[in-house]
């Protein structure tokens, strides 16, 4: 939402970049030779882990975008439950509150296996720039993107 | 009676009983602090005010060391900036600060110090300890996830209110501030519910009940006025 607060500058940004991958577009695999990747969210499950490694390998620049990517933030609160935190939260979500046939999903494709701890992005792969904030305000986003995405020559 | 010392290359004067911190601030140096609170005794808990003193191989906590005649003090060097940044990052890594969902978000001294030091991420592993929240007091709460162990609450309760409700228990990573003999805050019959500990707290560890995210502003002005009034009437420092 903070990104959308860039308002009319989004048109300027659209002139400068081509969006090749996002959870909101149809491309399912992370493309090669990406100039800039903005990473939202922490690394919480096997799916995130594989994706961040691909994103890092295929991107010239990688940005931790927002507090979840930068610190783990609220998504990392389960880490305080200790080494069995994944079982605790899954049990709470699926067993304690389940009404009909309560069970923890065991399909790693539909519900990727949780990592033992939620990690900030830079704990897993090198990060080039950090944009902290929950969310980072649009002025900060614009400041960064203006420099990271220069005018097409 | 005053003494002369060198502060960041300039000659400066101080009173003989001044701490390095008081003397440096009186002479315009902007030393950052977290555990220090004007009017309370200094304990050197946070180590943010570390300075270089010529002839000393150790860095000194400016709040807890006296300035001396001909002392050569440096308050802002690459080494000091590096250590301060590390200290702040360690504070963030030690407990669960999670600023976006903190009562003191936007009004927190730790957060402000981190921003001023240019910290945009923490290089250390977060410890994610399991910490408790005590809401047994009718007016106030303590959230140990946010505590930086500055002990301002301990000192203000002892030195200004005279109630001595707060104390420190444990060592190292097990250190915690406690009320009475580690009893629930609400069970303390010594607590006068004056709220000075909440006013003094630099983070969201102590808060007034009912405060939601970013709503806890610590009323420093009221506390400083009380301390000044007490000093003016001849009370103990």
């Amino acid at each position: 939402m903070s990104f959308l607060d860039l308002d009319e500058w989004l048109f300027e940004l659209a002139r400068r970049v081509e969006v090749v991958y996002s959870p909101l577009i149809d491309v399912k695999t992370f493309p090669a030779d990406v100039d800039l990747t903005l990473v939202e969210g922490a690394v919480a499950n096997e799916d995130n882990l594989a994706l961040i490694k691909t994103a890092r390998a295929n991107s010239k620049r990688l940005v931790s975008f927002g507090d979840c990517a930068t610190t783990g933030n609220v998504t990392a609160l389960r880490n305080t439950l200790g080494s069995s935190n994944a079982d605790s939260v899954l049990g709470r979500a699926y067993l304690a509150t389940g009404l009909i046939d309560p069970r923890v999903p065991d399909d790693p494709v539909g519900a990727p296996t949780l990592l033992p701890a939620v990690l900030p992005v830079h704990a897993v792969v090198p990060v080039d720039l950090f944009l902290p904030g929950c969310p980072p305000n649009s002025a900060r986003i614009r400041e960064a993107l203006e420099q990271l995405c220069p005018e097409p020559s | 009676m005053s003494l002369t010392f060198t502060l960041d290359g300039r000659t400066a004067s101080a009173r003989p009983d001044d701490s390095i911190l008081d003397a440096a601030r009186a002479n315009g140096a902007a030393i950052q602090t977290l555990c220090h609170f004007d009017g309370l005794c200094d304990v050197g808990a946070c180590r943010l005010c570390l300075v270089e003193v010529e002839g000393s191989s150790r860095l000194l906590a400016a709040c807890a060391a006296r300035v001396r005649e001909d002392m050569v003090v440096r308050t802002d060097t690459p080494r000091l900036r590096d250590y301060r940044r590390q200290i702040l990052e360690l504070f963030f890594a030690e407990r669960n600060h999670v600023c976006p969902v903190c009562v003191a978000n936007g009004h927190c001294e730790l957060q402000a110090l981190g921003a001023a030091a240019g910290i945009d991420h923490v290089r250390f592993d977060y410890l994610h300890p399991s910490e408790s929240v005590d809401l047994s007091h009718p007016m106030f709460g303590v959230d140990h996830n946010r505590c930086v162990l500055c002990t301002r609450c301990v000192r203000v309760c002892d030195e200004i209110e005279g109630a001595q409700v707060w104390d420190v228990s444990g060592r190292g990573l097990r250190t915690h501030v406690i009320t009475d003999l580690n009893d629930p805050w609400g069970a303390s019959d010594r607590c006068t519910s004056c709220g000075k500990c909440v006013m003094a707290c630099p983070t969201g560890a102590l808060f007034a009940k009912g405060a939601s995210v970013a709503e806890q502003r610590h009323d420093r002005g009221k506390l400083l006025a009380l301390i000044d009034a007490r000093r003016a009437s001849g009370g103990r420092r």
Side-chain angles (χ1 to χ4, degrees):
Chain A
M1 291 310 285
S2 190
F3 200 88
L4 294 180
D5 284 341
L6 291 169
D7 296 337
E8 72 275 15
W9 196 75
L10 284 168
F11 291 102
E12 171 63 26
L13 183 63
R15 218 165 51 77
R16 298 189 189 187
V17 302
E18 180 195 353
V19 180
V20 293
Y21 183 85
S22 150
L24 302 178
I25 65 175
D26 277 343
V27 176
K28 298 296 182 219
T29 53
F30 196 93
D33 298 325
V34 175
D35 291 316
L36 174 66
T37 299
L38 307 177
V39 182
E40 272 192 313
V43 182
N45 62 36
E46 297 286 355
D47 203 32
N48 301 154
L49 185 62
L51 180 58
I52 194 64
K53 286 180 176 167
T54 309
R56 175 70 272 185
N58 293 6
S59 309
K60 288 199 191 79
R61 287 205 177 101
L62 188 129
V63 177
S64 273
F65 192 93
D67 273 358
C68 288
T70 303
T71 73
N73 201 10
V74 173
T75 60
L77 283 176
R78 74 165 157 98
N79 296 1
T80 65
L81 299 173
S83 56
S84 62
N85 68 74
D87 291 338
S88 302
V89 294
L90 289 172
R92 174 69 195 159
Y94 290 101
L95 301 179
T97 61
L99 294 177
I100 303 162
D101 184 23
R103 62 189 176 85
V104 174
D106 55 1
D107 166 18
V109 176
T113 309
L114 296 185
L115 297 176
V118 179
L119 300 168
V121 173
H122 68 270
V124 182
V125 296
V127 169
D128 301 306
L129 184 77
F130 298 87
L131 274 186
C134 185
N137 66 42
S138 59
R140 186 178 293 170
I141 297 171
R142 179 170 166 173
E143 177 76 22
L145 291 183
E146 278 187 328
Q147 295 175 54
L148 291 165
C149 311
E151 296 264 4
S153 48
Chain B
M1 228 355 240
S2 73
L3 56 77
T4 306
F5 72 111
T6 305
L7 177 69
D8 294 326
R10 292 177 293 114
T11 302
S13 65
R15 289 170 302 189
D17 58 345
D18 273 352
S19 66
I20 296 176
L21 178 66
D22 288 341
R25 282 188 170 170
N27 285 281
I31 298 181
Q32 290 179 324
T33 54
L34 186 59
C35 68
H36 172 82
F37 195 91
D38 278 338
L40 301 181
C41 288
D42 283 305
V43 289
C46 74
R47 315 313 284 178
L48 278 179
C49 68
L50 288 175
V51 292
E52 292 179 5
V53 173
E54 238 169 56
S56 167
S57 57
R58 295 182 304 123
L59 300 174
L60 299 183
C63 69
R66 289 275 166 84
V67 66
R68 287 195 308 271
E69 183 74 32
D70 294 332
M71 200 178 231
V72 178
V73 180
R74 279 183 289 273
T75 67
D76 192 24
T77 67
R79 176 166 72 142
L80 290 172
R81 281 197 291 274
D82 183 42
Y83 277 139
R84 278 187 204 127
R85 186 181 167 126
Q86 280 189 53
I87 290 165
L88 286 166
E89 286 183 46
L90 287 165
F91 275 125
F92 282 109
E94 185 170 348
R95 300 253 172 131
N96 309 304
H97 288 282
V98 201
C99 302
V101 289
C102 177
V103 286
N105 187 15
H107 317 292
C108 170
E109 290 183 40
L110 178 64
Q111 192 180 37
L113 286 165
I119 295 174
D120 58 9
H121 71 293
V122 171
R123 293 166 290 178
F124 306 106
D125 290 343
Y126 289 96
L127 294 186
H128 290 296
S130 174
E131 296 291 348
S132 63
V133 178
D134 179 359
L135 294 173
S136 60
H137 190 283
M139 293 164 67
F140 310 120
V142 51
D143 180 353
H144 294 283
N145 291 285
R146 321 288 192 187
C147 179
V148 291
L149 300 170
C150 69
T151 70
R152 283 185 190 179
C153 53
V154 178
R155 287 173 283 148
V156 78
C157 189
D158 172 27
E159 297 168 26
I160 306 300
E161 181 63 8
Q164 301 179 339
V165 172
W166 290 99
D167 214 324
V168 179
S169 148
R171 287 187 177 266
L173 283 175
R174 295 183 181 186
T175 309
H176 284 86
V177 291
I178 55 169
T179 40
D180 283 356
L181 295 173
N182 204 11
D183 298 313
W185 192 357
S188 172
D189 52 15
R190 284 190 294 185
C191 177
T192 62
S193 303
C194 71
K196 291 189 182 70
C197 51
V198 178
M199 296 178 212
C201 180
T203 70
L206 297 177
F207 52 90
K209 278 188 173 176
S212 183
V213 169
E215 289 181 350
Q216 179 62 54
R217 291 171 184 269
H218 299 286
D219 197 348
R220 304 259 190 279
K222 187 173 175 187
L223 182 54
L224 288 166
L226 283 167
I227 291 172
D228 273 350
R230 204 165 182 282
R231 198 186 275 153
S233 68
R236 180 164 68 114
R237 189 209 137 149

